[in-house]
Amino acid sequence: MSIHTICAALTAAIETTAQRISGRHFSRKSPLTAEAVICLFISAEGGCLAKILHTAGLDVTASALSQRRAQIPPEVFRTVFDRFNAACTDGDLFRDYRLLAVDGTAVNLPRNPAAPSFVQNDGIPKGVNQLHVTPLYDILNRTFSDVIIQPEPKKDEIGALVEMLERNTFQQKTLIIADRGFESYNLIAHCLEKPNVDFLIRIKQSHSAMREVAKLPIMELDCNIGFTITTTQTNEDKKNGYIHLQVPKRSKAGSKTRRGRWDFPSPYPMRFRICRFLLDNGEFETVATSLPPSFTLADIRELYHLRWGLETAFRDLKYTLGLVNLHGRSDAFAEQELYADLTAFNFASRFCREVVVRQPSDGIYAYKVNFKMAVMLCKEFLRTPNTDSEKLLEEIVRHTVPIRPNRQDERNLKVKGFAGFVYRVAA
């Protein structure tokens, strides 16, 4: 895609969506039109609302902006995200497969016990507010293709992925890559039944693993397993060695146990491939996949390693795009900014793909675009009228960083709360 096509696609997505917003709130003249508000939050940075309005050249108060955005449902921002994706072509493939990684992450909100996002348990007695985000991420094209947002108390990553599988039509061969926690007979069946979809899911390999997997020796292997799922427990089922899946018809009121899910007939024959490979640290990793034998064990290992791109995308989404610095207290406002930041991420990423970085002839490292600077420049471009996309391209290519392959560091996991509105930096 050309940079002009990318810009035109986002502009058309915003304009077309804004035109369909009707009602008395948008009948009078105001600088805060629906189109202006949508564009404002797609291009917003981490500062306060007053700074964002000042930077955009809008002579209105932060209170007026908060009142106006309350009149726009989060689904409007979702529509802009979807339309922008539909108008763009992300063509990078791995051996004719589009690689989509899936995982979940939590976004912190201001504390509000009355909101659906409020979660409280023995580990967090005071309670926090969080939204759980489960996206489909195109690894090679570095864009988010779909997303489900749920209140943290009702998070259901497997159910979110099933919903995204059902509502998407995959026109080309697609590989869904998921980490441990997505292993589910129901999810695997959905992937097997979906046309043009294969899966690669990390699974447990201990005694708590799937019955047929737990029987396998702990060594490098590549084999097929087959079994039959049933939701009944007849003598014939037991005689045939079927795997019983307990799917209760009713759940007790107030029960904290999730209901089992099975969306297919019973009995249901299932067959897929198990690959186990040795990691550099001496531990084994086991994955279930429906990929054909033409993908070797080395290919499977490389594909699973590529899933890490989603983790770095989460980091960029929170800290480069600014999801740790939300500009509202309600769950609806947080959803607006989530969709807006996902749209901004995709816009910057697609722009970066069009940049040609000149590599030094005698340098130690190859260089790539500095994505943090690219996001800042793209947001500045979106909120500045009559700017030149060619100039934006020239500015982005000026900011590069070295590519240092095979760097490893231990993950330093820390629980981070919501940064209060009065403790924000000016940027």
Side-chain angles (χ1 to χ4, degrees), residues 108-128:
N108 292 315
L109 279 66
R111 191 175 187 277
N112 180 8
S117 62
F118 185 72
V119 55
Q120 187 176 27
N121 51 47
D122 295 338
I124 40 175
K126 292 186 178 180
V128 296

Side-chain angles (χ1 to χ4, degrees), residues 69-70 72-75 77 107-119 128-133 149-154 323 326-339 418 421:
R69 69 183 296 197
I72 303 177
E75 291 73 22
F77 288 81
V107 175
N108 292 315
L109 279 66
R111 191 175 187 277
N112 180 8
S117 62
F118 185 72
V119 55
V128 296
N129 287 75
Q130 290 181 329
L131 290 179
H132 198 82
V133 184
I149 301 173
Q150 302 165 317
E152 183 67 21
K154 297 183 178 180
L323 267 183
L326 297 173
H327 301 92
R329 293 185 177 277
S330 71
D331 290 4
F333 284 3
E335 285 190 47
Q336 287 179 351
E337 295 192 46
L338 266 164
Y339 290 128
F418 181 79
F421 295 112

Side-chain angles (χ1 to χ4, degrees), residues 61 96 143 161 177 185 234 276 282:
T61 64
D96 298 328
T143 54
L161 179 52
I177 306 176
Y185 292 123
T234 64
R276 181 172 288 156

Side-chain angles (χ1 to χ4, degrees), residues 17 60 62 71 74-75 128 198 208 238-239 256 271-273 282-284 288 309 315 379 382 393 399-400 421:
T17 306
V60 295
Q71 298 160 0
E75 291 73 22
V128 296
D198 282 287
S208 61
K238 296 176 182 178
K239 181 180 177 181
K256 295 182 180 180
R271 185 176 180 83
F272 51 86
R273 182 178 169 193
E283 297 180 359
F284 287 99
R315 180 194 62 197
K379 288 194 170 190
L382 291 173
L393 203 63
H399 301 278
T400 59
F421 295 112

Side-chain angles (χ1 to χ4, degrees), residues 220 277-285 301 305 406 408:
E220 281 201 346
F277 46 85
L278 187 65
L279 300 178
D280 295 337
N281 60 5
E283 297 180 359
F284 287 99
E285 200 73 270
R301 177 174 174 167
H305 178 71
N406 301 321
Q408 294 184 356

Side-chain angles (χ1 to χ4, degrees), residues 48-63:
C48 63
L49 287 178
K51 174 186 174 289
I52 293 170
L53 289 166
H54 174 76
T55 306
L58 293 172
D59 187 18
V60 295
T61 64
S63 176

Side-chain angles (χ1 to χ4, degrees), residues 184-204:
S184 159
Y185 292 123
N186 191 49
L187 173 59
I188 289 175
H190 272 279
C191 292
L192 292 171
E193 296 290 337
K194 188 73 175 180
N196 284 335
V197 170
D198 282 287
F199 66 89
L200 194 157
I201 304 173
R202 179 188 173 195
I203 61 175
K204 295 178 182 178

Side-chain angles (χ1 to χ4, degrees), residues 372-386:
K372 186 184 289 287
M373 283 300 299
V375 167
M376 187 275 289
L377 292 168
C378 285
K379 288 194 170 190
E380 185 179 58
F381 169 81
L382 291 173
R383 63 174 176 260
T384 308
N386 303 320

